[in-house]
Amino acid sequence: MTPYFDALDKARAMGREYAENGIAAGDTEPDESPLSGEWAGAVTVRDIFDALGGDFDSADEWEHTDVADHWEAGYYSAPWPIRN
């Protein structure tokens, strides 16, 4: 994986991009728990680690949480129509 803080920045950018793609497809408000895995085709923390080139299974739980938190921060920071 890239240097840790760079990976967190990239995870945040990925979350924002995911949200913006959803908005472009007609989504009007964010999901409450976008990484819950509750929805078919939903993004998981493992998916994010894979995209970052990291090893999910070797990472500590706190690293999983950091990556998920940064991805979600980017996701929620998008210009959701319902909020504007």
Side-chain angles (χ1 to χ4, degrees):
M1 187 155 68
T2 58
Y4 191 68
F5 292 108
D6 292 342
L8 294 179
D9 290 342
K10 186 173 180 183
R12 185 180 180 100
M14 290 167 52
R16 173 87 182 218
E17 180 181 12
Y18 184 85
E20 289 174 345
N21 288 338
I23 293 166
D27 292 347
T28 58
E29 61 184 314
D31 293 331
E32 277 187 44
S33 302
L35 295 178
S36 70
E38 188 174 325
W39 312 106
V43 174
T44 66
V45 177
R46 181 179 294 275
D47 295 333
I48 299 166
F49 263 81
D50 289 347
L52 295 171
D55 183 356
F56 179 85
D57 294 323
S58 296
D60 291 325
E61 185 64 33
W62 64 267
E63 292 171 304
H64 296 168
T65 300
D66 271 358
V67 167
D69 288 349
H70 280 76
W71 188 94
E72 284 187 338
Y75 176 82
Y76 290 123
S77 73
W80 292 97
I82 198 88
R83 293 184 179 175
N84 293 324

